[in-house]
Amino acid sequence: MDAESGAGLKVRADEITVEWDGHCGVGVRVENTSDHPVKFVEADEEVFDGSSTTEWRLALPHHVPEDGAVRGYDVGPFPTTLEPGAVATHAVVVYCKEDPSYTITVNSINAGSVSFDF
């Protein structure tokens, strides 16, 4: 799924791991299409609202390869600044055992937000 905030935040989100032990994995690709840096808070759970955790090694340990990326989505800390033209990826985990439908919202400080319903 692709969406834009209208303020230079272009985001793609894909469900990359369907329910395993009550958890689903979502990969997010964020691109800054504006002419100014896009800022994010330091807490990844606030950037990716709706996620249960960004700690893949705790929730889905067998899905994290040695390179620290899940199907091309980084599992390390998300950057707090994305320069014009820059792209960053991130993988988050959602608890989805009781309810397989959920929403992930990608929030920036100065370029709006984008939501995805799964």
Side-chain angles (χ1 to χ4, degrees), residues 98-117:
E98 281 83 26
D99 187 359
S101 61
Y102 53 90
T103 300
I104 295 288
T105 301
V106 180
N107 297 303
S108 73
I109 293 172
N110 62 339
S113 64
V114 176
S115 295
F116 298 93
D117 295 321

Side-chain angles (χ1 to χ4, degrees), residues 40-73:
F40 301 91
V41 297
E42 288 186 28
D44 288 349
E45 287 83 6
E46 291 179 35
V47 174
F48 302 97
D49 188 27
S51 65
S52 302
T53 181
T54 56
E55 297 295 328
W56 271 76
R57 285 179 176 81
L58 297 177
L60 301 166
H62 66 286
H63 286 282
V64 182
E66 289 298 316
D67 68 359
V70 179
R71 296 188 184 172
Y73 295 97

Side-chain angles (χ1 to χ4, degrees), residues 5-70:
S5 70
L9 194 63
K10 184 177 180 181
V11 183
R12 176 175 185 83
D14 296 303
E15 193 167 55
I16 56 176
T17 304
V18 180
E19 203 252 304
W20 182 85
D21 194 29
H23 297 90
C24 296
V26 176
V28 182
R29 179 185 185 277
V30 181
E31 180 180 359
N32 179 359
T33 60
S34 74
D35 59 358
H36 62 276
V38 173
K39 303 284 186 183
F40 301 91
V41 297
E42 288 186 28
D44 288 349
E45 287 83 6
E46 291 179 35
V47 174
F48 302 97
D49 188 27
S51 65
S52 302
T53 181
T54 56
E55 297 295 328
W56 271 76
R57 285 179 176 81
L58 297 177
L60 301 166
H62 66 286
H63 286 282
V64 182
E66 289 298 316
D67 68 359
V70 179

